[in-house]
Amino acid sequence: MRKGTRPVALLAAAAALVACAPGGGGDPAAEGAMRVNIAFSNPTIFTTGLPYYVAQAKGFYDEAGIDVSATFTGGGSETVQAVVSGSADIGTETSGASAIGAFDSGAPIKIISASTTGLDLQWFAVAGSGIDDRTDLAGKTMGYSATGASSHVGVLALSALLEQEGLAPIQAEAIGGPPDNLTAAQTNQIAAGWTQPPFFLDRVASGELVLVADGSEIGDYADVAMRVNIGNVAWLEQNPEAARAFLEVQQRSWDWIFDNNEEAVQIWREAAELELTEEVLLTSFDYYDRSELRLAPLDGRDVLVDDAVEFGFADESLTDAEMEQLFDDSYLPEAS
Amino acid sequence: MSRVRSTTTSAPARPRTPARAAPAVARRDEWVPMWVVRIAVVAVFLALVEAAVRVGVLNPFFIPLPSDVLGRMVANLADAELLRMLGITLAETMTAFAIAASTGILLGFALWRSRVLGEAFEPLVAALFSSPIVLLYPIFLVIFGRNAAAIVALAAIFAVLPTILFTKQALSGVSRTLLNVGRTHNLSDWSIFRHIMLPAAAPTIFTGLRIALTYVLIVVVAMEYILQIGGLGRVVAESALLFRAVDLYASVGLIVVISAGFIWAINRVERLAQR
């Protein structure tokens, strides 16, 4: 009996220690706050990392009573995986197609808001490589971040466009974020890689790289929420207030960013440890406007579902009941 | 009881006792052949998982029904695209293993023949063997390009190390008495190598080759998974990222079958080499 009770006592003592330990890195301001674990990819990018860095730096999360910690993923389905597994409660800036594909396979997730409307991607090639515009990409290898990511959807859509024009399809390869794509392009592993403004635009200006395709010229995605915010169903049901508070802060952060460009860029540069100058980073605002980063309305739902089926992320289209189950607007801030 | 006691205490009885004990062991083995036991263990495990999923103890989103997985594995045998992926993985594995085995045995032989080379390089090879060489894959991508050549090169380099070490150890461990017997009978160097050294060293060399083959398959599938190029590793990655659990487990099951097949084949070759 004594032998058997010792491990139990040790476990109880360990559990008590864990229970007494400060959570979330021991931030006193976060005590009593609702915990929210979020996952997103490529944290240096304007649309992914900036609202998180600004909310942290300006204390928006503390004011909303939430303690937010972030996990970084490779993007697309990896962000969805983090939410499905419960490692993250909310996944931000993940592609609608990957979320729909996961839902179609039975993943317990909901799309709770739009994140980026329109396809804001650009594709580059190394100058002098013989790739000067998108028709040169026919039959070539192009990089994307991860399976199911918006960069993956973009390459597949670009490939479909080339096929419609009677050209050879593109071979898509999962490479990673923009820096990985740059390395892969420079070492001839791929013909072209993806980026988001303003990254590598200085290299384009210097003639080192050429832009060969732009998201705006592919398909009709201008009014489609290509990236969305998703939540774990069980967590959403247990923490609806935390989910609402998070989305409210997300909206507040974007509003603040567009009202305070220069300060936002300073926060971004320091938090993401970027080497780009503030002047270059400020050009981001030439490429994005406030409406593209709205949480609501979430437009283009049918296009997202059609793409998910066409590009093989989902087996079949969703029924109306499934659409209603997947897209849940009830966590949006009232003003949205 | 008394018979057992006498065999353990009486030294002169030793030569006769194993001859007596062996048929009894053989009879037990024949009563339940080992392959039946192996299949039964796997079948019972899968039946338990099947029951756990059906009653809701395990979430089918993460652990699909084994019956569905087995059905998919059978269906995959008629899937041209999956067979193409299987062919790519097999080709990469066989190529990398052939390079690792031939190079490793030659280098192991060289380290055994030259005491200077052996003493100089064996610790280095052993150190490399315990290093995570697989992390060098980005360099291989730059050198060979993002293709099968990079995967084959990395797998071959990883697998050549145990082949070198085990070959060198195997040849060093051949009994000097056996070699002297060969020389007493005026056997040529080739005859000594073929009829004495090779059979004596073969078990250890094949241990190295088994390890090498296992490493080759692991590295090939892992790199296909990470890079999402090539064969079954890519299928596993895409199945996982697209949340297709049945496809995922069916692909992993196929890789396990291939691994078991390779080990069976190398055991057969070992028996042939020892004849």
Side-chain angles (χ1 to χ4, degrees):
Chain A
M1 279 294 283
R2 286 176 66 189
K3 264 188 179 176
T5 54
R6 275 181 69 185
V8 176
L10 282 171
L11 280 173
L17 278 171
V18 169
C20 294
D27 181 7
E31 281 180 20
M34 297 177 283
R35 295 290 302 268
V36 182
N37 296 313
I38 63 170
F40 57 89
S41 64
N42 303 303
T44 54
I45 285 178
F46 183 84
T47 57
T48 55
L50 183 54
Y52 171 72
Y53 296 134
V54 163
Q56 292 280 23
K58 303 305 293 181
F60 295 161
Y61 290 138
D62 293 340
E63 287 177 27
I66 52 176
D67 175 20
V68 177
S69 57
T71 301
F72 304 135
T73 72
S77 296
E78 291 183 28
T79 303
V80 180
Q81 274 183 343
V83 175
V84 169
S85 68
S87 307
D89 308 315
I90 287 176
T92 65
E93 270 283 280
T94 194
S95 91
S98 67
I100 290 164
F103 177 82
D104 183 54
S105 297
I109 56 167
K110 284 185 173 186
I111 294 175
I112 56 175
S113 80
S115 182
T116 300
T117 299
L119 189 55
D120 55 347
L121 305 179
Q122 295 175 322
W123 286 273
F124 63 85
V126 175
S129 65
I131 310 285
D132 296 315
D133 60 42
R134 69 176 168 80
T135 56
D136 294 330
L137 293 167
K140 299 288 194 307
T141 306
M142 285 182 72
Y144 60 88
S145 61
T147 300
S150 59
S151 58
H152 190 194
V153 174
V155 170
L156 295 175
L158 183 56
S159 182
L161 180 63
L162 292 178
E163 283 191 277
Q164 282 172 18
E165 294 170 356
L167 298 169
I170 290 164
Q171 296 167 38
E173 296 279 357
I175 301 291
D180 304 311
N181 277 258
L182 178 62
T183 305
Q186 287 175 329
T187 54
N188 294 320
Q189 295 177 49
I190 54 172
W194 72 278
T195 187
Q196 270 179 254
F199 292 96
F200 306 154
L201 293 182
D202 53 337
R203 291 173 189 257
V204 172
S206 71
E208 184 186 340
L209 301 176
V210 286
L211 288 180
V212 293
D214 190 287
S216 60
E217 60 184 299
I218 304 166
D220 191 14
Y221 292 130
D223 292 320
V224 177
M226 294 301 288
R227 290 193 288 274
V228 296
N229 295 323
I230 62 173
N232 179 292
V233 168
W235 183 84
L236 288 170
E237 285 171 359
Q238 289 164 14
N239 303 276
E241 291 309 316
R244 281 189 197 100
F246 176 79
L247 289 183
E248 202 169 319
V249 170
Q250 195 79 350
Q251 185 66 69
R252 183 181 176 189
S253 297
W254 278 124
D255 289 340
W256 186 91
I257 288 164
F258 280 97
D259 291 338
N260 302 273
N261 296 5
E262 290 183 3
E263 194 181 346
V265 160
Q266 282 174 8
I267 292 170
W268 182 19
R269 190 166 185 268
E270 282 175 24
E273 298 176 1
L274 297 172
E275 290 177 1
L276 291 174
T277 63
E278 288 180 13
E279 190 183 2
V280 171
L281 293 175
L282 274 169
T283 61
S284 304
F285 294 96
D286 298 336
Y287 293 90
Y288 293 98
D289 63 44
R290 208 179 292 230
S291 69
E292 287 172 321
L293 298 162
R294 64 181 183 265
L295 300 185
L298 196 159
D299 293 325
R301 298 176 190 206
D302 291 337
V303 176
L304 290 177
V305 173
D306 290 346
D307 274 3
V309 175
E310 184 184 345
F311 297 139
F313 301 118
D315 289 332
E316 53 190 23
S317 191
L318 303 183
T319 63
D320 289 345
E322 287 170 334
M323 291 285 276
E324 202 171 314
Q325 192 184 346
L326 174 61
F327 293 94
D328 190 341
D329 298 335
S330 66
Y331 302 98
L332 285 166
E334 285 179 11
S336 297
Chain B
M1 282 293 282
S2 61
R3 198 179 292 167
V4 171
R5 206 175 296 135
S6 70
T7 59
T8 53
T9 54
S10 170
R14 204 181 288 164
R16 278 184 293 154
T17 309
R20 270 188 206 166
V25 173
R27 273 199 298 274
R28 278 201 295 272
D29 283 353
E30 283 165 15
W31 184 65
V32 185
M34 194 49 68
W35 65 268
V36 174
V37 175
R38 288 184 189 129
I39 291 175
V41 168
V42 174
V44 168
F45 173 74
L46 293 178
L48 287 172
V49 174
E50 179 94 11
V53 175
R54 286 191 185 278
V55 300
V57 173
L58 294 175
N59 185 342
F61 182 71
F62 297 108
I63 313 280
L65 288 169
S67 55
D68 286 349
V69 174
L70 290 172
R72 185 64 52 87
M73 286 177 73
V74 172
N76 283 345
L77 295 176
D79 184 335
E81 180 60 17
L82 196 110
L83 291 177
R84 193 177 72 82
M85 294 292 180
L86 172 63
I88 291 171
T89 298
L90 287 177
E92 288 171 350
T93 304
M94 298 301 285
T95 308
F97 179 67
I99 294 169
S102 54
T103 312
I105 289 173
L106 277 176
L107 290 175
F109 182 80
L111 294 192
W112 169 75
R113 284 288 288 186
S114 165
R115 197 170 65 86
V116 175
L117 280 179
E119 288 181 5
F121 289 104
E122 190 178 2
L124 183 64
V125 175
L128 281 173
F129 183 37
S130 56
S131 307
I133 295 174
V134 74
L135 296 180
L136 294 175
Y137 79 85
I139 294 172
F140 281 73
L141 293 181
V142 172
I143 296 170
F144 293 97
R146 200 177 175 80
N147 52 43
I151 294 176
V152 168
L154 187 60
I157 285 177
F158 203 68
V160 79
L161 302 172
T163 314
I164 293 171
L165 289 174
F166 277 85
T167 301
K168 201 257 177 185
Q169 283 173 12
L171 294 171
S172 302
V174 175
S175 164
R176 196 147 286 281
T177 307
L178 290 176
L179 296 174
N180 288 339
V181 168
R183 288 198 188 97
T184 316
H185 285 83
N186 286 326
L187 293 181
S188 64
D189 285 350
W190 167 247
S191 291
I192 288 175
F193 180 78
R194 171 68 186 87
H195 297 292
I196 296 176
M197 293 195 69
L198 193 58
T204 309
I205 292 175
F206 273 93
T207 301
L209 291 178
R210 261 192 297 273
I211 293 172
L213 185 57
T214 307
Y215 280 171
V216 163
L217 188 60
I218 290 171
V219 172
V220 164
V221 173
M223 294 314 300
E224 287 177 346
Y225 182 95
I226 292 169
L227 302 174
Q228 290 186 41
I229 57 174
L232 290 177
R234 178 177 190 159
V235 175
V236 172
E238 288 182 350
S239 304
L241 290 168
L242 296 175
F243 303 93
R244 290 173 181 157
V246 174
D247 289 336
L248 170 66
Y249 284 89
S251 309
V252 172
L254 190 54
I255 292 166
V256 171
V257 169
I258 291 170
S259 177
F262 275 144
I263 297 301
W264 175 84
I266 205 163
N267 285 342
R268 297 287 297 176
V269 174
E270 180 180 3
R271 277 183 212 145
L272 287 174
Q274 285 178 313
R275 276 181 189 171

